[in-house]
Amino acid sequence: MSRIALPQWAGTLAVKAAVFIAVMCCALAALLGVLVHVSVTNQTVGQARDLALSRLTDATRAYQAGDTLLPGAGVDPPGLPRALRELAMDGERGTMVSRHHGHPTMWAAGPADRKRALAVEVDYSQQSRTIAGLDRAILWSSGLAIGATLLVGAFAVTRVTRRLHATATVARRISAGDLDARVGDPRAKDATRPQDEVGAVAAALDSMAASLQGKLLSEQRFTADVAHELRTPLTGLHAAAELLPPGRPTELVRDRVAALRTLTEDLLEISRLDAGREKLDVDTEELGALAVRVVRASGTDTEVVVARDVRVETDRRRLERVLGNLVANAHKHGRGPVSVTVDGPVVTVRDHGEGFPEYLVEHGPQRFRTEGGATGHGLGLTIAVGQSEVLGARLEFGNAPEGGAVAVLTLPQHDPTAVDGST
């Protein structure tokens, strides 16, 4: 059985609090109104009943003495409720409210001779108006009380939800990479003020962000320091390898030295990206021609399809670095055929291998992590993502339904100009 989908606004804390306050106010107002109504009605009806019974006693004495009955008293008068008449004929005394001649009337009846009822009537209009007025006053006062309570409650809840929204916004900024974001809740800053739960959450989030920022900065400094320190011995190692005599061992040494130099340069590039001090050298480029140059420089068998070419304002060197890493990753970890498709500002790199790992599709590439026996250090895609962010582009990873990895790079456009496409 499927659950009923609630509208989006029904999930907000402010709406839930408002509904809860309204329900509680209505329930409390109804309870108090019923109690007041019952109490006043009982008191009013009791007074009218005592008056009617007192007049019935006087009428009974006059009837038994043979005197003339006072106005409002009589034997089997018209309008006497049937139930009250039967009660009196059974020898009991009782009272009842009914309408007589269009007015509320309190009747009191008792037994008379020969199975007849002696009854008196008392005008009950004033008491009825009093109860009706009381009921209206209860309704109006309840409505005003509920409205005032809702306003005050909405104001109080809005202050809390506004602080919660600010905390959530800062949390999203931190998750997006802005480690300088802080909530800065005044209650959390002032130790003399009473601390509430929202302030405690804000303080905990700020503390977590500061701790995370410190650890990431330490990691970035460590990566940069290691890369810088490796450059000097690697330069000497490279020079020494060039002096070795030709042969298979020399080729192996030179290959490993080249791989180590590439790793060091990648680490240096990542450290510069982490520092966030990269600056763009923007120029206008034809995206299709740039993709062709990247594939040609890679020396791989990669098909380039230009469905719709555009000119974009971008940093050519960084864009070539991103596309080059994507193409190299497709050939290194995927299977052919590999294609690069340019469709406007969107460039898609596709292979027909086993596809990207699930963690990479969900969370993006992670440095020094590979799966499935793949070789490498996981830095190529990490650099591609970092350079894409510098370009203001969006790089997404996915897997095609029929198999194969798909990397989609979407470039920002500033007054783009279309170019005739070619394949």
Side-chain angles (χ1 to χ4, degrees):
M1 182 177 180
S2 60
R3 298 179 60 185
I4 299 176
L6 295 176
Q8 184 176 5
W9 56 264
T12 62
L13 179 61
V15 172
K16 291 180 179 178
V19 171
F20 175 76
I21 292 174
V23 171
M24 293 304 297
C25 286
C26 291
L28 182 60
L31 178 61
L32 292 177
V34 169
L35 292 177
V36 173
H37 173 82
V38 170
S39 177
V40 174
T41 300
N42 288 339
Q43 182 179 1
T44 304
V45 172
Q47 292 175 352
R49 181 182 294 113
D50 292 342
L51 177 60
L53 290 175
S54 175
R55 291 186 179 182
L56 177 61
T57 301
D58 294 339
T60 301
R61 291 174 182 170
Y63 178 76
Q64 292 174 351
D67 297 334
T68 303
L69 297 178
L70 296 175
V75 178
D76 290 335
L80 180 65
R82 181 177 178 180
L84 188 59
R85 183 190 303 274
E86 293 176 352
L87 180 67
M89 291 174 63
D90 291 338
E92 302 289 339
R93 290 162 54 109
T95 60
M96 180 177 292
V97 177
S98 68
R99 298 193 68 82
H100 184 52
H101 298 303
H103 300 287
T105 302
M106 172 66 76
W107 291 93
D113 55 352
R114 296 188 300 276
K115 297 293 184 178
R116 294 188 299 173
L118 176 64
V120 297
E121 58 178 291
V122 177
D123 186 14
Y124 193 69
S125 300
Q126 180 61 39
Q127 292 85 343
S128 179
R129 287 193 295 269
T130 300
I131 294 175
L134 174 66
D135 291 340
R136 288 191 297 270
I138 290 175
L139 290 177
W140 278 105
S141 60
S142 298
L144 291 176
I146 291 172
T149 305
L150 280 176
L151 290 177
V152 174
F155 174 75
V157 172
T158 301
R159 293 189 61 187
V160 175
T161 54
R162 188 183 298 117
R163 295 168 62 196
L164 288 175
H165 282 306
T167 304
T169 301
V170 171
R172 285 191 290 267
R173 288 174 56 190
I174 293 173
S175 65
D178 184 7
L179 298 181
D180 292 324
R182 298 291 185 274
V183 179
D185 194 294
R187 291 180 179 271
K189 292 181 178 179
D190 190 355
T192 61
R193 299 182 65 179
Q195 188 74 276
D196 59 3
E197 289 79 3
V198 180
V201 171
L205 180 62
D206 288 347
S207 176
M208 180 199 70
S211 176
L212 180 62
Q213 185 178 36
K215 291 180 180 179
L216 289 179
L217 290 176
S218 298
E219 178 184 342
Q220 293 170 7
R221 284 194 298 269
F222 175 76
T223 302
D225 292 343
V226 168
H228 280 290
E229 292 297 327
L230 285 176
R231 296 187 75 177
T232 301
L234 275 176
T235 302
L237 188 60
H238 177 73
E242 294 297 326
L243 298 177
L244 294 175
R248 181 60 180 169
T250 300
E251 293 178 1
L252 292 176
V253 171
R254 290 176 179 175
D255 179 71
R256 292 300 87 197
V257 170
L260 192 55
R261 290 188 66 180
T262 301
L263 174 59
T264 303
E265 294 300 325
D266 287 346
L267 288 175
L268 284 173
E269 186 171 358
I270 288 176
S271 66
R272 291 193 297 268
L273 292 172
D274 288 340
R277 293 192 293 268
E278 296 287 87
K279 294 183 179 180
L280 293 177
D281 184 11
V282 179
D283 198 0
T284 302
E285 299 286 340
E286 290 186 8
L287 198 52
L290 188 145
V292 172
R293 289 199 305 270
V294 169
V295 170
R296 187 181 299 118
S298 69
T300 59
D301 183 15
T302 304
E303 180 186 11
V304 179
V305 179
V306 182
R308 181 168 59 93
D309 202 358
V310 292
R311 292 187 179 93
V312 294
E313 294 182 0
T314 187
D315 188 322
R316 178 181 57 80
R317 181 185 65 82
R318 297 184 190 279
L319 182 55
E320 289 178 348
R321 175 68 158 155
V322 173
L323 295 181
N325 282 14
L326 294 178
V327 171
N329 183 82
H331 281 282
K332 186 174 183 180
H333 301 289
R335 287 194 302 269
V338 177
S339 63
V340 176
T341 303
V342 178
D343 187 3
V346 180
V347 182
T348 304
V349 179
R350 163 81 188 280
D351 64 53
H352 290 76
E354 297 180 357
F356 289 118
E358 289 298 326
Y359 82 87
L360 193 148
V361 175
E362 294 180 3
H363 307 290
Q366 299 178 19
R367 58 193 72 174
F368 298 108
R369 178 176 178 179
T370 56
E371 289 188 358
T375 59
H377 304 284
L379 299 181
L381 294 182
T382 303
I383 292 174
V385 171
Q387 294 289 11
S388 299
E389 293 176 352
V390 175
L391 293 173
R394 184 175 72 254
L395 181 56
E396 300 172 304
F397 301 96
N399 294 318
E402 61 273 16
V406 180
V408 180
L409 178 67
T410 305
L411 294 166
Q413 285 187 278
H414 306 281
D415 191 19
T417 303
V419 181
D420 292 337
S422 59
T423 303

